[in-house]
Amino acid sequence: MNLAIKDIRHNLGRFALTTTGIGLLLMIVMGMGGIYRGVVEDATLLIDRVGADLWIVQRNTRGPFAELSRVPSNLVHRALAVPGVQTSREFIYHTIQRERDGKPLRLAVLGLSWPTDRGEWLPLTAGRPLQQSHFEMIADETLRLQLGEQVSLGKETYTVVGTTKSMISSSGDGIAFFTVADAQAIQFDVPGEAVRLERASRESRGRDFEQAIQQPFILEQAGAPSQQLPAIARPQISAVMITVSPGTDVQRVANIISGWGDVAVFSNDDQRELLLKGSVEKVRRQIGLFRVLLTVIAAIIMALILYTLTLDKIHSIALLKLIGAPNTVILGLILQQAIILGTLGFAIALAIGQRVFPLFPRRVILTQPDLVQLAVIVFGISIVASLLGIWKAMQVSPHEALS
Amino acid sequence: MTAIGQSEFAIQAEGLTKVYGSGNTEVVAMRDATMEVKRGEVLALLGPSGAGKSTFLTAVGLINPPTRGRITIRGQVVMDGPAAQTNLRSFRRRHIGFVFQKSNLIPFLTAVENVQVALELNGAPRRKARRSALQLMDYLGVSDRADNLPSMLSGGQQQRVAVARALANRPSVILADEPTAALDSFRGRQVMELFAKVAHEQGAGVIVVTHDHRALDVFDTIYEMEDGIMRQIEHPTVSL
């Protein structure tokens, strides 16, 4: 007969509560693993999906995912002139926070290089890609913007024409896709009063400027819009993404561009690596270490529970020894209960986790390899945790059955 | 070494001494206790509390090794001083049945499972073990409570289940420490007679530690212990 099952049946209520407790603890361990995986996935999602072979960024910077990068928008044309380059696209990426219906709305703004890139590569769950150069946007579902909904950003109003799933920035904000021009308009939007003050400031500075004193016409132009003044640069972009023609050596193209003095060039893998080792590294390590800590805590708690369960049975174990039960029977009793506890705990963790994790504000990704790894760890913990109880059981003298 | 089963004696205890502690704290619980129990013989061990009866019983039961002396069961030397001459637990399982004052049942097993477990530990297949356990319980009048947990049984019922467990493997030796303490006089006598019956039918040697002088006529031999010293006394029915 299976003594482990008999004992569990006899103490079913307590065992169920204990298993649920272990299950919830394992759910947190599982969740930490899922959050860890989510952070990595979210961080690299854009780089993986955008489909660029090379990233051209500001010289001496590590690109827009690691730090502020500013390159002129005409870099797109320079890059396109390099032999072997098939497409060259502007990349604008920044995060904004606005208020909407009394609640903060945080969104990562990404500019699509209209008209070459209309967002066809995006995983649309509803709606369509962009069809006009202005005032349309595609929003991730996490932003909770409905199809056809209108959102005012800066001085313009944008209509949601499509929605995506799981397009998240490395900081966990949903991504909204606009044309580059709209993304820049949102990024560089300043209030009218600030524009007037800046023009007045220009005129004021011009009055002390020798050339303006000699040629008053220059001073008259100082108050004109920025785009009419050649001395003021056009708004810059974050980076340029290029794809190379089939059969072209990517490294050869990278070598040519890296010879330019004002920019640096990174491959897609370089950007991915920089991102993982840069902005998300500390979060990743923190979650990873926390997960290890939780696993150790789970092991200790399981060991204590199994030890207590063994102590509760100590008289029965002594009695079994008295009537001649071999050590394998007693060892099996404790080990089987440990494995049942671990297995049921894992199943409870998975069942609850799958229902609870989707409600978390950031993505919690449970991958098959991670679940298998955790199952193996839980199995190992169950065996290690039972050692304390087994040691205690082995110490028990059959004489104790008589006391 | 004589092979098991060939000796006329179920138990031979020679010069058993048990010393607890050492120096100033030394206590001699049992001194040179010698006893022989033939196969089929039922022996009563009398004596006041603290006389060393339980120490002797646990020594012979291979639970609490003696400091000195030798224990031979069915011709096989199993203890020579404190040194075990065989795998004691395995030997207990196959050859010794215990009944104690407290019923000592496993609380998470039903009555029949408490008997069945002893049979299964000795290699009996599950179904056969259950069948044998139920037969034994029927014989002892507790088969109607077979599927009840020990906590649902009266003291007497628990004790009868414990007796059934002790008899389950048809042991060569049955050791009982005040087995009738929790029973009324009728049931107590019934248990004593059962021990006698098993001893005579199976050729087992039975030692019963008891305070119950009303059933002494059931026993073949009577020993008494006092201050750790054992001696055989005259059978009361003989002196009458």
Side-chain angles (χ1 to χ4, degrees), chain B residues 188-231:
Chain B
R189 185 168 186 88
Q190 209 179 22
V191 167
M192 294 298 195
E193 284 174 352
L194 178 70
F195 284 143
K197 188 178 175 195
V198 170
H200 298 145
E201 284 180 3
Q202 296 181 13
V206 180
I207 302 175
V208 180
V209 170
T210 182
H211 283 111
D212 189 356
H213 289 241
R214 290 170 300 179
L216 286 182
D217 58 297
V218 174
F219 297 96
D220 301 314
T221 317
I222 300 176
Y223 274 70
E224 189 178 49
M225 263 189 111
E226 195 160 4
D227 297 331
I229 297 169
M230 181 182 283
R231 67 187 174 90

Side-chain angles (χ1 to χ4, degrees), chain A residues 199-276:
Chain A
R199 288 177 185 173
S201 175
R202 266 186 242 152
E203 285 176 3
S204 171
R205 288 196 302 270
R207 285 191 203 101
D208 301 328
F209 188 47
E210 182 61 31
Q211 272 189 312
I213 294 166
Q214 290 174 0
Q215 296 182 34
F217 177 71
I218 292 176
L219 195 58
E220 284 173 26
Q221 295 297 313
S226 301
Q227 66 259 38
Q228 292 175 14
L229 303 179
I232 297 175
R234 296 287 308 278
Q236 293 185 304
I237 57 175
S238 306
V240 168
M241 302 175 291
I242 59 174
T243 53
V244 299
S245 308
T248 304
D249 181 10
V250 177
Q251 192 54 49
R252 198 177 137 268
V253 175
N255 288 342
I256 293 170
I257 297 171
S258 61
W260 300 348
D262 59 335
V263 294
V265 64
F266 293 100
S267 70
N268 214 38
D269 288 342
D270 291 338
Q271 274 295 309
R272 200 172 192 282
E273 195 68 12
L274 279 169
L275 190 64
L276 290 178

Side-chain angles (χ1 to χ4, degrees), chain A residues 50-52 76 87-91 112-113 116-117 121 237 239-243:
Chain A
V50 81
V76 174
T87 65
S88 173
R89 288 177 286 163
E90 295 145 306
F91 182 80
L112 297 175
S113 195
T116 51
D117 183 359
W121 53 274
I237 57 175
V240 168
M241 302 175 291
I242 59 174
T243 53

Side-chain angles (χ1 to χ4, degrees), chain A residues 65-124:
Chain A
F65 299 111
E67 57 185 307
L68 196 66
S69 167
R70 289 275 172 261
V71 292
S73 54
N74 63 13
L75 184 63
V76 174
H77 308 297
R78 276 164 64 194
L80 201 54
V82 174
V85 171
Q86 188 175 39
T87 65
S88 173
R89 288 177 286 163
E90 295 145 306
F91 182 80
I92 290 180
Y93 184 66
H94 55 96
T95 302
I96 61 169
Q97 181 169 326
R98 299 286 184 273
E99 193 157 310
R100 184 172 170 76
D101 300 331
K103 290 180 183 170
L105 174 69
R106 269 184 76 82
L107 44 89
V109 174
L110 194 138
L112 297 175
S113 195
W114 176 273
T116 51
D117 183 359
R118 298 162 186 248
E120 288 92 344
W121 53 274
L122 292 169
L124 291 176

